[in-house]
Structures are given as structure tokens and as C-alpha cells.
Amino acid sequence: MSASLLAVLVVAVLLAAVARRADVSAPLALVVAGLAVGLIPGVPDIQLDPDLVLYVVLPPLLWSAGLESSYVALRRNVRSIGMLAVGLPLATTFAVGVVAYWAVPELTIAAALTLGAIVAPPDAVSATAVGRRLGLPRRLMTLLGGESLLNDATALTAYKVALGLAIGGSASWTGGLWTFALAAVGGVVVGGALGAVIVHVRSRLRDPLVESALGLVAPFGIYLLAEEVHGSGVLAVVVAALILGQHSTNASYATRLQDSAVWKAVQLLLESFAFLLIGLQLPKVIEELAGISAAVLVVSSLAVLATVIAVRIVWVYLFAYLPRLVSPALRYREPSPRPAQVFVVAWAGMRGVVSLAAAFAVPATTLSGAEFPGRPQLVFLTFVVVVGTLLLHGLTLPWLIRRLGVQGDEAHTDAVAAAAAQDRAARAAAERLDEVLEQQRTDGTVDDVHERAAEVLRGWNTRRRNSAWEQLGRDEADIGESPAAAFRRLRLEMLAAERATLIAERDSGHIDDEVLRSVLHGLDLEEATLNRR
């Protein structure tokens, strides 16, 4: 099994690379590839391990998303995000539970609610990836990102409550509500405390390599500890990641560069692995359906899938407009969103590997030793919802975004704001340079070398200040190459020549690889600065 999982990991990364090169949705391509491979006779059965997903895949993905999130933006949209991340999963749990209880005779009401909690949390990885590529407005991206951070906590906690009732582990619904409250409070407390501790420890280390290593193991430790005290591991990881993300400005430049590169790679690796694994579950899901009526499966699949989609659409539209109708203050504070924007959020309800992991984690028997009611149908319906939403929404969402014209205009606004901030920063840098030189003149320590160095720095600072403003003007095809662009192009040519010479020096034996890597690191940092967007 370990060799099979390693093969899945390698293939997933390769397929993700091809999808990115072809500019298509990587999650969608990976799921389709997994389905196709799963249908090939003789392919080894690769069963999804729930613990692998919940304890290995999920924590670092949540951590990475939390580090990239804006605490300020999340707080500004806390009402809308709360409705999507808390209210919507609970509403989906109950609606799907009622429909599944009606459509699948074998399911008890507790088992049906377990299915509802399983399929409740959307996986916003695909939606945010599409939105980022097509330029969704920032507020929509904040809503989708905030939802993806918190909805797993709501749904998995509801899942624990419903599953406990289904297997006979919880005495009452009141006890289930207490479990829910304890999980939420415990997750916030554990995440807040450990997040603060990690920030304090990292600020004392002053070692980028160790700081990044600590960041890599932190989500696993936080998740485990929160689960041990019966809190929400998901919520704990998210809270801690938001705290670290907010304090990342206090870290060194080396730590920020290293963390960014490391987590982008980890995110690609785990997301690719998870989506390919979804498709590969088809043989196992079909195998467990022996003896079950095809008519019941078709009717229940259509009913549950339609309920999942309809509940999200109704909920999103309802809470996008209803609060504004009853609250004049809210109408004044927040302008009413465009119907097209609301529909994009409502349609971005793709489910993911967390739902499948929860379904496979449902035990085969209850505490009394009886078979878990309707478990094969529960797993199959989860698979239908996950694959159905990924294919339906994944194929249509990009077209809808373009067709409805739901694209943000923040690019120009951001460029103006960045240029103004860069201008102020460059002026502050110039003033500081003059202050240092003036102090050295007073001390009598300035010579021609210092004056010439100051002139070079002033020219470099001026180019940095002007480059952001130049990007706001007409295209270079109309006005020719700007001074900043010319400087960048020529300096990149020089860096390429330096790099080629250094490699030739290594190849000829004049320097060894360690010296080469050290010098190339400096050139790479300078090139990264020149190529920043």
C-alpha cells in the first residue's frame, strides 16, 4: 500500500504540472484522471485512509490557506463568512439528512444526518483557484477563502455529533450540542494559545531554516492536541495560522521568502494527491453496492445531489439580500451585491476529499454490534456528491464567471496604491540616506567614495520610485521602453552573463559547488526583486 500511495503522489504531481502548463483546472483534471485509471482492469485497489486525510493532508492545507489569508479582510466580512462557514453547513446537514432519510430506506435519521454533515463542507480550493485565475473581485475571494477555512470545522463537528448518535455513543441531542460547543471553544483556545507561543518562539530563534521547520510541524501538533482535548483540530489550526500570518511582517526577509516557497510546494503536492485519490475510489465504492437496487441508487443520488446544490443557492441568495431588507444600517454600511456575484458564490460549492474521508471513516458496525444502517449507500452518495459537484461546477464555473462579467477592477486600484506607497517609502529612504551622510559630514568621516556610493543609491532609489508609476501609463508598444524597464532588462542580461560565468568557473574546477550555490543565491535574490509583480 505504501508503494501504491507513493506512486499516486508522483503521478498526481506530474498531472498537476501538465494541467498548470495547459492552463486548465488541476483539481478537475486530477479527478477525471483518477476516475479513468480506476476503471482500468488490473489496477491495484488504492483505498482512501481517513486518518491519512484528516491528520496528514488536511492540517497543512488549512495552515497554508490561513497564512495567506488576511485577518483584517476576514474580520471586515465576518457576518457573511459566518453565514457561509457556520450557518450553511448546518443547514445543508439537516436538509440532506431529511432528503436522504426519505430516499434511502436503510438510513436511520441519525445516519441520514451523518451523511448530511459529510457532504456539507465545500472544498473551496478549486473555486478559489478558478477565481484567482479569472480575476474574481477581492471580496468574493475573501468570502470563498474564509468559508474554506472554517466550514470544515463546522461540518466535522456536526459529523461527530451525528455519528455518535448513529452508533449509540451519544445519549441525547442535548449532549450533542454540548459536544459541538466544546469543540468550537476548545479549538479557538488551543489555536490561539499555541499560535501565540509559536510566534514568540520564532521571534527568538533568528534562524530562518529552523523557523520554517517549526512552521512545517506546527499544524500537525496543533491539530492533534486540539483533538485530544475534544476541541476542533480544524479550528485550532486555522486560528493559529491566522495569528502567524498576521505577525509574519515581524519575521526576517529570509524566513518570509523560504516560507512562501515551501508552502506553495506543499500545497501543490497535497492538493494534487488528494484530488487524484478521489477519482481512484470508484472501484471500492462500486464494490460495496452489491445487491442494492439500481433504481434506489439513481433516485437517491439525484435527490441528494440536487439538495446539496439547491440549499447552497437558496441560502446564499437569502442571506445576501434579506439582512439588508430588515436592517437600514447594514444597507448604508454595505452596498447590495450584484446578482451575478451572488450566483458565482452560490455556484462555487464543489466538495472534496474531506467529505470522502469522513464517509470512509464511518464504522461498519454500531456499538451494539449491529451493522451501521445504510453504510454502503452513505459512502456511494458521498462519492456522487463529491464527483458530481467537482465536474458540474468545475466545468461551468469558469464559463459563468466570464459570461456574467464577474471580474474585479482591483488591479488598477492596487497598482495606484502600490505606486503611492512605493513613492512614500522611496522618499523616506532618500531622507534617511541624507541624514546618514549629514551625520558623517559632521563627524568628518565622509570621503569621495561615500559620495559616489550615495549618488548610485539615489539613482537606484529614483528608478524604484518611478517604476511603479510607469506601470500605470500607456503600454510600451505606444510610448516605447520606460527607463525602469530598460534598467530591468539590461540588469537581467548582466545577471545571466554573471551566472553563466560562475557556472563555467565551477565546471572548470576553479570553484566548487558550495561556493557556486552561495554566490548564485545572491544573484537569485536580485533577479527575484527585478521580476517582482
Side-chain angles (χ1 to χ4, degrees), residues 59 63 186-196 198 214-215 217-229 231-241 244:
W63 185 265
V188 172
V189 170
V190 171
L194 292 183
I198 295 171
L214 179 61
V217 300
F220 303 104
I222 294 171
Y223 191 93
L224 284 171
L225 181 59
E227 291 291 323
E228 284 296 318
V229 300
S232 168
V234 172
L235 202 54
V237 170
V238 169
V239 170
L244 258 75

Side-chain angles (χ1 to χ4, degrees), residues 19 26 28 44 74 101 113 133 224 269 288 317 352 401-402 429 452 456 502 531:
L28 186 62
L74 292 177
Y101 180 67
L113 288 173
R133 188 169 72 247
L224 284 171
L269 187 72
E288 295 183 350
Y317 269 95
I401 291 174
R402 295 190 184 96
R452 287 195 296 272
V456 172
L502 289 167
N531 283 323

Side-chain angles (χ1 to χ4, degrees), residues 238-300:
V238 169
V239 170
L242 287 173
I243 292 174
L244 258 75
Q246 186 71 9
H247 289 84
S248 63
T249 52
N250 299 328
S252 67
Y253 79 93
T255 300
R256 285 194 297 273
L257 287 173
Q258 191 163 259
D259 279 353
S260 176
V262 166
W263 281 111
K264 279 183 172 58
V266 169
Q267 190 173 3
L268 174 66
L269 187 72
L270 294 178
E271 288 174 0
S272 303
F273 174 74
F275 282 109
L276 183 60
L277 205 56
I278 289 174
L280 292 173
Q281 301 313 300
L282 180 59
K284 179 64 177 178
V285 172
I286 294 177
E287 178 185 324
E288 295 183 350
L289 296 176
I292 298 176
S293 168
V296 171
L297 291 176
V298 171
V299 171
S300 59

Side-chain angles (χ1 to χ4, degrees), residues 220-483:
F220 303 104
I222 294 171
Y223 191 93
L224 284 171
L225 181 59
E227 291 291 323
E228 284 296 318
V229 300
H230 304 292
S232 168
V234 172
L235 202 54
V237 170
V238 169
V239 170
L242 287 173
I243 292 174
L244 258 75
Q246 186 71 9
H247 289 84
S248 63
T249 52
N250 299 328
S252 67
Y253 79 93
T255 300
R256 285 194 297 273
L257 287 173
Q258 191 163 259
D259 279 353
S260 176
V262 166
W263 281 111
K264 279 183 172 58
V266 169
Q267 190 173 3
L268 174 66
L269 187 72
L270 294 178
E271 288 174 0
S272 303
F273 174 74
F275 282 109
L276 183 60
L277 205 56
I278 289 174
L280 292 173
Q281 301 313 300
L282 180 59
K284 179 64 177 178
V285 172
I286 294 177
E287 178 185 324
E288 295 183 350
L289 296 176
I292 298 176
S293 168
V296 171
L297 291 176
V298 171
V299 171
S300 59
S301 297
L302 293 175
V304 170
L305 180 59
T307 302
V308 168
I309 296 172
V311 168
R312 182 177 179 89
I313 293 175
V314 172
W315 183 274
V316 169
Y317 269 95
L318 185 65
F319 285 95
Y321 295 109
L322 183 61
R324 290 175 173 83
L325 292 177
V326 300
S327 173
L330 184 60
R331 284 200 304 272
Y332 176 78
R333 189 170 64 250
E334 295 182 15
S336 184
R338 291 171 48 204
Q341 294 179 340
V342 177
F343 186 75
V344 166
V345 174
W347 199 247
M350 292 169 272
R351 270 53 180 178
V353 71
V354 172
S355 293
L356 270 183
F360 280 111
V362 172
T365 61
T366 64
L367 294 181
S368 65
E371 290 187 0
F372 188 95
R375 186 182 184 279
Q377 294 95 319
L378 183 148
V379 175
F380 174 75
L381 291 174
T382 302
F383 186 83
V384 168
V385 170
V386 170
V387 176
T389 54
L390 279 172
L391 294 179
L392 177 61
H393 298 319
L395 290 172
T396 58
L397 189 59
W399 177 83
L400 277 172
I401 291 174
R402 295 190 184 96
R403 186 73 178 83
L404 298 175
V406 184
Q407 293 174 310
D409 58 355
E410 289 96 352
H412 181 74
T413 305
D414 290 348
V416 172
Q422 183 65 60
D423 186 84
R424 290 191 291 270
R427 291 180 188 276
E431 291 172 4
R432 180 56 183 159
L433 176 62
D434 291 338
E435 290 173 4
V436 172
L437 288 176
E438 185 60 34
Q439 181 63 44
Q440 290 183 342
R441 291 191 188 98
T442 302
D443 298 339
T445 58
V446 174
D447 54 23
D448 290 342
V449 173
H450 293 88
E451 294 290 357
R452 287 195 296 272
E455 286 304 314
V456 172
L457 289 171
R458 287 192 186 96
W460 183 78
N461 194 50
T462 300
R463 282 190 293 271
R464 279 176 55 85
R465 187 178 69 192
N466 292 340
S467 63
W469 293 114
E470 290 167 357
Q471 293 175 13
L472 299 175
R474 290 175 293 166
D475 189 82
E476 287 184 2
D478 299 326
I479 62 174
E481 190 175 36
S482 67

Side-chain angles (χ1 to χ4, degrees), residues 59-76:
L61 287 179
L62 291 169
W63 185 265
S64 176
L67 291 177
E68 294 180 353
S69 298
S70 168
Y71 168 75
V72 175
L74 292 177
R75 185 177 61 183
R76 189 183 302 127

Side-chain angles (χ1 to χ4, degrees), residues 132-219:
R132 192 177 297 111
R133 188 169 72 247
L134 298 179
L136 277 182
R138 180 167 297 148
R139 185 167 187 271
L140 265 63
M141 294 297 294
T142 299
L143 294 180
L144 293 174
E147 178 189 14
S148 70
L149 282 174
L150 301 173
N151 60 13
D152 285 338
T154 304
L156 288 177
T157 305
Y159 164 75
K160 290 180 182 178
V161 173
L163 183 62
L165 291 166
I167 64 175
S170 295
S172 65
W173 289 102
T174 304
L177 293 175
W178 171 250
T179 301
F180 194 94
L182 180 63
V185 174
V188 172
V189 170
V190 171
L194 292 183
V197 169
I198 295 171
V199 167
H200 178 77
V201 171
R202 282 175 47 130
S203 67
R204 298 295 187 274
L205 289 174
R206 305 293 182 185
D207 186 335
L209 187 61
V210 178
E211 290 177 49
S212 292
L214 179 61
L216 279 173
V217 300

